[in-house]
Amino acid sequence: MNNRAGSFLWNLRQFSTLVPTSRTVRLYPSGFCRPKMVYSNWNPRKLLSNFDNRMQSFVRYLFQDALIFKSGGDGFQTKSISTATVLTVDRLLCPRRLSFNSKHFVSDNGLKKNFHHEPSNEDVLTKRTKPTPINCRKLSQECNSLSDVLDIFSKAPTFPSSNYFSAMWTIAKRMSDDQKRFEKQLMFNHPVFSQLCEQIMREAKIMHYDNLLFSLHAMVKLEIPQNTLLVQTLLRVVQERINECDEKCLSVLSTILEAMEPCKNVDVLRAGLRMLVDQQVWKIERVFTLQTVMKCIGKDAPIGLKRKLEMKALKELDQFSVLNSQHMFAVLAAMNHRSIILLNECSKIVTSNIHGCPFKILISILQSCRDLQYFNIDLFKGIADYVAATFDIWKLKKVLFLLILFENFGFRPVSLMDLFMKKATDEPGFLNVKSLVSILHVYSSLNHFHKCWTHEFLEVMASALTGSLHHISAENLLNAVCSFCLMNHFPLAPINQLLQKDIIHDLLTSGDVERNVHKLHVLAACLKLDAPCHRDTHLVLPQLPSMPLHPHAKVAEVLSSLLGEGCFSRSVWLPHNYYIDFEIRMDANRSQVLPFSDVDVVTSSATNIQRVAVLCVPRSMYCLDSTHPRGFLAMKMRHLKVMGFHVILVNNWEMEKLEMKDAVTFLKTKIYSPEALSTADIDLQSIC
């Protein structure tokens, strides 16, 4: 009896050591444990007096190899445990693990005693049947489909469940779009998929933060609906644990938010990310992480945060690789921050390493420059020269896409456009309605001609357009014909179809009516002034909205000083909705300015009167970094000459830089003919 009592008291002492009075461990159904604080006044002596009633409350089941107590018939028994029992916790299953020494145990009196666990047959069986931890990479290599991963999960689920989702996304990346769509449908219909989702929701609060983010990233990429309880639960847990975010997690979280649609939890998480980045921006070491974060914070981020990230990027500029420099354009466009210094430095790196750059990257750079309104002529020339040098390896549709982007900037890559014109003329088979309209728009807008190939090129384009008349829309037909008119070419069949009453009515009542009306006015002017066979054509069109007039004050002052008041007219409207800033009347040799009066207006068509149109031209009317006029300015100059004007172009930005004396000299050389100026110089020398 004394031996039984001594054995019981010894077991009771070990139990009190393993289970502190202020802390118990709760078992969760997902197979992991979490400590829970409780408040109790547990006393071993009370337990002796009320053993039968209270013993059951201390029974705990903790994993395999854990301490297990059961109440026996007339005593207290231990199962699968020898004289000393040691509590162990599987380290893989519980990242926030408890630490116990498996060889030593400290008793109440502070003495260290050695104990040895004697494994029973049941222990050996448990170790054999315990699930083996699964590595995500190994799992993705062994499985060929998403269902294979779920089958493995159904046989022996292991912690953390994020490995299964990450493996499924890795496998899905190797599939074609059609196969991926089919496999995802099988995944959603798999009998254990819901079980996997439930388990990862239970594990979310205790798994490592990077595993949590990897699982959420995989769900987003696998296109699990964002409004599901699974995704929203993980978003909430990510919010709660955002302070655990290190640099790696910061990159993954930014990638996740960039791919998700706005919603309440996403918006809150994005706001939390901005606060975290604002605090940790100077601690970021990798350029890739910095760019990922910059791309994620959004266009509506505080300007202070944008500038702080810009300064960090400038500080790390020496660490930029060529790939970092190429991606920086898209990063700045994503956050809508136009950092000229950063863009200039990245442009130099891109231009000097342009050879071998993928076409997709070139397109991304130009699209970002367009969004940021960043014009770098050296960058554009470098890209255009590289594509021209490697022209034969590119498909014409890709080069056309590049030319469309160049046209947005007003940049005219002469050699590349010549090569494309020749190739499109020789191989017109790739032309469809969309590409045809785009090509005509680019070449007419940039006013590009080649002395040898232009006529043949326009004939090929007109033939392709004629062959598409049976299925082309009215708006596309108008765009194509208007582009032909800008280039002073008038294909008969497309114009005749466009002039049909039902098509004109369709254009005036549907689509972008204001834009259609403007183009129809251009068509009417070209038919009247450029095409003899269509001069009798009369289109009844609504009036164009009045444009604000901005007469150039400095040019008016210079003309007053040079010619005197009454010798020129301001803001003159002409037929076909043409407007000129100043008109001057001169003799036929442009050697003498005539007074501007009503009599002159009546006799302006006489052969001894030369009307001079002075146009104040902004920089946007020219191609980028040149004085080559764009399509509408070239057409206006052509039509003014048909109406009997001598056209003088005055560049606004150049006039503003000139002093008054130099401005007078400049306009004098423009207004008077060279012969008149040389005669005036001779007369001045004879007088002297």
Side-chain angles (χ1 to χ4, degrees), residues 410-425:
F411 175 66
R412 177 173 166 255
V414 177
S415 59
L416 182 59
M417 294 186 74
D418 286 343
L419 287 172
F420 186 88
M421 179 184 286
K422 182 69 167 61
K423 191 77 170 180
T425 303

Side-chain angles (χ1 to χ4, degrees), residues 104-146:
H104 301 90
F105 196 87
V106 181
S107 63
D108 288 343
N109 58 9
L111 298 178
K112 184 182 291 186
K113 299 181 180 180
N114 292 328
F115 299 101
H116 300 282
H117 177 64
E118 300 292 340
S120 66
N121 294 333
E122 212 170 311
D123 290 331
V124 174
L125 181 62
T126 300
K127 290 181 179 180
R128 289 178 180 176
T129 59
K130 186 169 60 176
T132 304
I134 294 181
N135 179 271
C136 168
R137 181 178 298 179
K138 184 179 179 181
L139 191 61
S140 62
Q141 292 172 351
E142 293 177 351
C143 299
N144 296 320
S145 68
L146 310 187

Side-chain angles (χ1 to χ4, degrees), residues 165-182:
F165 276 103
S166 298
M168 286 193 290
W169 166 234
T170 303
I171 295 169
K173 287 191 292 185
R174 303 196 295 254
M175 299 177 178
S176 63
D177 292 339
D178 292 338
Q179 185 182 3
K180 191 184 302 182
R181 193 180 305 111
F182 176 73

Side-chain angles (χ1 to χ4, degrees), residues 552 554-555 559 581-582 613-619 622 647-656 658 663 666-667 670-671:
H552 203 285
K554 187 171 183 179
V555 176
L559 289 176
D581 297 278
F582 303 96
V614 180
L615 304 180
C616 299
V617 184
R619 195 188 295 270
Y622 295 103
V647 181
I648 297 175
L649 300 181
V650 178
N651 299 332
N652 292 344
W653 71 96
E654 291 180 351
M655 182 59 66
E656 290 295 338
L658 297 176
F666 171 76
L667 277 184
K670 290 283 188 179
I671 293 172

Side-chain angles (χ1 to χ4, degrees), residues 360-387:
K360 184 179 180 180
I361 298 295
L362 298 178
I363 294 297
S364 175
I365 290 173
L366 292 178
Q367 288 175 329
S368 300
C369 290
R370 178 195 60 195
D371 296 340
L372 293 169
Q373 289 297 294
Y374 173 69
F375 302 90
N376 188 318
I377 190 66
D378 293 330
L379 176 64
F380 297 162
K381 284 182 178 178
I383 294 176
D385 292 344
Y386 167 64
V387 176

Side-chain angles (χ1 to χ4, degrees), residues 289-308:
T289 301
L290 177 63
Q291 290 185 326
T292 305
V293 170
M294 293 173 69
K295 198 172 183 180
C296 169
I297 64 166
K299 298 182 179 181
D300 57 340
I303 187 64
L305 178 58
K306 291 182 180 180
R307 288 176 178 169
K308 187 179 289 188

